[in-house]
Amino acid sequence: LKLADFYGSSGVVRTAFFVFITNSFVNPIVTIFDPPFVLKKLLKKKALKDEKNNKLTQAEANDIFEGMDFGIDWRYGYMVETMLYVAFYAPVMPMALVMTLVGLVISYWTEKYVFLKNCLLPNSLSSQLQECMIEYLEWVGFMYALGNLIFYTILQDSNGNMGIETTP
């Protein structure tokens, strides 16, 4: 194996870098500009603009003016997946830790904004979801150790030096 296979222009680390960028910054943007919610907002403006000639049924009006479902289960899954993914790639890409931290802070604030401004009050949740997610977060240490084992085993030559075959 060559070091370029990992750090080159088409290497694993470069591909993972773009996944981290997408995960950290595109997801909060999509959270703010959620296409179904934007469509619902446009329909709401249209309904309010043409209030007198509007032929909406009560059920249609309720659907348009009601907030969106927050999807707390999906958001928990996203956070756990992000933590496991960054733990695995942290040994070969330490900058991923910083990008993920920034991305999680941005996600926190965008999700808080969306929850307070655009969403329905969620159904009451049992503690089972939180307990399950905490159990998954306990795997972060294992994923970090696995990433270390895999990447350092692959990148180490027979003499124990890092950086196999730096020549083309």
Side-chain angles (χ1 to χ4, degrees):
L1 285 174
K2 296 179 184 176
L3 200 57
D5 292 338
F6 281 89
Y7 292 102
S9 62
S10 63
V12 169
V13 174
R14 183 178 171 101
T15 304
F17 174 78
F18 287 113
V19 170
F20 281 113
I21 291 288
T22 303
N23 205 17
S24 297
F25 302 110
V26 173
N27 192 40
I29 291 170
V30 171
T31 299
I32 291 283
F33 301 108
D34 184 25
F37 181 74
V38 171
L39 177 65
K40 199 178 245 195
K41 204 170 192 176
L42 291 172
L43 290 172
K44 188 188 305 185
K45 279 186 179 181
K46 182 182 175 202
L48 289 172
K49 184 179 177 186
D50 194 21
E51 212 172 302
K52 297 195 188 239
N53 297 328
N54 204 336
K55 297 191 188 324
L56 290 175
T57 66
Q58 186 63 49
E60 292 170 337
N62 287 348
D63 187 47
I64 290 173
F65 285 90
E66 191 176 63
M68 302 290 284
D69 182 33
F70 187 61
I72 191 76
D73 51 349
W74 179 86
R75 294 174 198 281
Y76 263 124
Y78 160 74
M79 190 212 51
V80 169
E81 175 264 333
T82 300
M83 298 298 290
L84 292 172
Y85 191 68
V86 73
F88 184 76
Y89 280 100
V92 291
M93 197 167 77
M95 189 62 179
L97 294 167
V98 175
M99 288 186 327
T100 300
L101 177 64
V102 169
L104 287 175
V105 168
I106 293 170
S107 285
Y108 170 78
W109 286 105
T110 57
E111 289 174 8
K112 184 174 183 175
Y113 173 79
V114 166
F115 177 70
L116 293 174
K117 296 289 185 183
N118 304 337
C119 292
L120 291 168
L121 187 63
N123 297 330
S124 62
L125 298 170
S126 69
S127 62
Q128 187 178 9
L129 179 63
Q130 291 89 349
E131 291 168 2
C132 182
M133 292 299 120
I134 289 171
E135 287 178 20
Y136 281 123
L137 283 175
E138 291 173 356
W139 284 90
V140 169
F142 174 76
M143 291 301 288
Y144 181 72
L146 182 66
N148 271 305
L149 176 71
I150 290 172
F151 290 119
Y152 285 119
T153 301
I154 290 172
L155 292 175
Q156 203 172 51
D157 66 8
S158 59
N159 296 329
N161 299 323
M162 296 304 289
I164 304 171
E165 268 187 72
T166 55
T167 58

